[in-house]
């Protein structure tokens, strides 16, 4: 085990980590920037984009993965794709443009024009997930 000096924000997102000595002056300077310090004994350094600090502030938690299910990934125009398993408060992007925040229930998309479209699912403390949906002119 190694002691990692971990600095995180008010949302428990890890900003930076070091296994080197961290003088009180550094901890104070980071606190002035709004970061909290915790020394954690861990097996490996927690990657900032894969872990966050737990609610108690005394450990790390791995980001979550989406468990999405798609009824299809290729449809004809006017066909639908139903997506289930999406947690509430997930922001949905279509070709990198936000379409809003998902609330609950199944999400149904209708193909209104032919093409290839990338749907992204973004939620705090989750790995971003992307899925390409192809809409063809004919069935």
């Amino acid at each position: 085990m190694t002691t990692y000096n971990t600095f995180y924000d008010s949302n428990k997102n890890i900003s930076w980590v070091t296994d080197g000595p961290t003088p009180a002056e550094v901890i104070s300077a980071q606190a002035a920037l709004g970061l909290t310090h915790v020394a954690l004994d861990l097996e490996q350094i927690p990657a900032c984009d894969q872990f966050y600090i737990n609610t108690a502030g005394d450990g790390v938690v791995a980001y979550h993965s989406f468990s999405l299910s798609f009824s299809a990934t290729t449809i004809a125009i006017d066909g639908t794709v139903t997506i289930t398993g999406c947690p509430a408060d997930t922001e949905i992007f279509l070709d990198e443009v936000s379409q809003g925040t998902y609330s609950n229930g199944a999400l149904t998309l209708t193909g209104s024009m032919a093409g290839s479209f990338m749907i992204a699912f973004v939620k705090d403390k989750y790995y971003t997930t992307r899925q390409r949906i192809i809409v063809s002119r004919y069935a």
Side-chain angles (χ1 to χ4, degrees):
M1 291 263 233
T2 302
T3 299
Y4 291 102
N5 290 290
T6 307
F7 294 86
Y8 61 95
D9 64 20
S10 60
N11 291 322
K12 306 289 188 181
N13 295 311
I14 298 173
S15 295
W16 66 281
V17 180
T18 182
D19 63 352
T22 307
E25 300 82 32
V26 170
I27 295 170
S28 294
Q30 294 301 297
L33 296 173
L35 298 180
T36 301
H37 168 262
V38 63
L40 301 171
D41 290 325
L42 303 169
E43 293 293 328
Q44 64 184 28
I45 191 166
C48 297
D49 61 347
Q50 297 178 8
F51 293 89
Y52 61 96
I53 300 297
N54 65 8
T55 303
D58 60 2
V60 295
V61 179
Y63 274 24
H64 305 282
S65 296
F66 286 100
S67 295
L68 302 172
S69 178
F70 295 81
S71 63
T73 56
T74 301
I75 58 172
I77 289 180
D78 294 328
T80 61
V81 174
T82 301
I83 304 164
T84 57
C86 189
D89 299 324
T90 298
E91 188 170 8
I92 310 291
F93 290 82
L94 178 62
D95 290 336
E96 300 193 30
V97 176
S98 177
Q99 302 301 305
T101 302
Y102 171 82
S103 58
N104 62 18
L107 176 63
T108 301
L109 307 174
T110 301
S112 59
M113 71 170 106
S116 176
F117 305 92
M118 184 62 70
I119 301 173
F121 302 84
V122 179
K123 182 174 172 68
D124 188 35
K125 314 246 183 330
Y126 276 73
Y127 293 108
T128 296
T129 297
R130 291 177 175 75
Q131 176 63 54
R132 182 163 305 282
I133 302 293
I134 297 170
V135 181
S136 61
R137 293 192 183 279
Y138 308 101

